[in-house]
Amino acid sequence: MIALIVARSKNNVIGKDGHIPWQIEGEKKQFKELTTGNIVIMGRKTYEEIGRPLPNRKTIVVSNSKSFEGENLTTAKSVKEALQLAKGEFGLKTGGNIFFAGGYSIYKEALPLVDAMYITEVDLTIPDGDTFFPDFNSDDFEKTPGEEGGSEIKFLRTCYKRRHPTFL
């Protein structure tokens, strides 16, 4: 399965000044549960915000300006190259899933390729956000609401499964 995972505000914001504009207890739980033991593809800025390879996952960073290499960590020049690495020597020889984890340009390029999207809908409006989740045709997906959570800031995890799977 090829999927993406993202948290977005009510006005579709995923970032502000290079950071996620909220800290919500329990909101990252789904990310860890879904991606552990799998492959995560992310852009350089997203990787640099995290600051380290993700434990128990293979991480591919898409970057033209820097190279990241290490145990379970490599760099690709494009989303296409990252997918080739994920499906080849870096990972999927033994099975597993691929998750795109941001930022905007990675999501935009990945949207037509994904079988599923795991979107955490954060009950906030960020008026001065500067990075947004790309628009997509919701008619292409079957939407299934999931777990609700959050004490001060509420969120809803929603799964979007593509009605007609992509064939790569």
Side-chain angles (χ1 to χ4, degrees):
M1 174 184 68
I2 299 174
L4 67 76
I5 187 164
V6 66
R8 66 179 181 175
S9 70
K10 292 197 297 190
N11 60 326
N12 221 26
V13 171
I14 60 172
K16 176 183 170 189
D17 300 326
H19 301 285
I20 296 172
W22 53 77
Q23 287 291 326
I24 304 171
E25 187 176 332
E27 185 263 323
K28 294 177 184 171
K29 175 184 166 192
Q30 182 182 42
F31 183 89
K32 184 176 181 181
E33 287 173 353
L34 288 171
T35 62
T36 296
N38 291 295
I39 295 174
V40 178
I41 298 172
M42 65 183 74
R44 176 188 55 81
K45 291 178 185 176
T46 301
Y47 179 76
E48 288 177 338
E49 182 182 348
I50 295 168
R52 60 180 170 73
L54 297 168
N56 305 310
R57 284 155 270 206
K58 295 183 179 189
T59 303
I60 301 172
V61 180
V62 178
S63 176
N64 285 312
S65 60
K66 290 188 178 178
S67 180
F68 302 92
E69 301 297 330
E71 186 176 341
N72 291 322
L73 174 68
T74 195
T75 305
K77 298 283 186 194
S78 67
V79 166
K80 182 179 178 181
E81 182 185 337
L83 281 171
Q84 290 171 339
L85 286 169
K87 291 178 177 181
E89 78 236 27
F90 193 64
L92 288 183
K93 288 180 179 175
T94 59
N97 299 308
I98 300 168
F99 289 91
F100 289 98
Y104 170 81
S105 62
I106 300 297
Y107 289 136
K108 184 171 177 55
E109 199 171 337
L111 267 167
L113 309 174
V114 299
D115 304 306
M117 298 188 295
Y118 296 90
I119 300 178
T120 299
E121 313 280 359
V122 180
D123 190 20
L124 282 177
T125 299
I126 310 294
D128 51 355
D130 54 27
T131 308
F132 299 84
F133 188 70
D135 291 330
F136 63 95
N137 185 349
S138 60
D139 292 338
D140 291 345
F141 295 87
E142 184 177 324
K143 181 178 172 180
T144 306
E147 176 187 357
E148 292 184 60
S151 53
E152 292 181 28
I153 302 170
K154 304 288 184 198
F155 62 86
L156 171 66
R157 295 188 176 114
T158 305
C159 180
Y160 293 77
K161 296 269 185 177
R162 189 173 296 277
R163 293 182 192 280
H164 305 287
T166 59
F167 296 101
L168 295 176

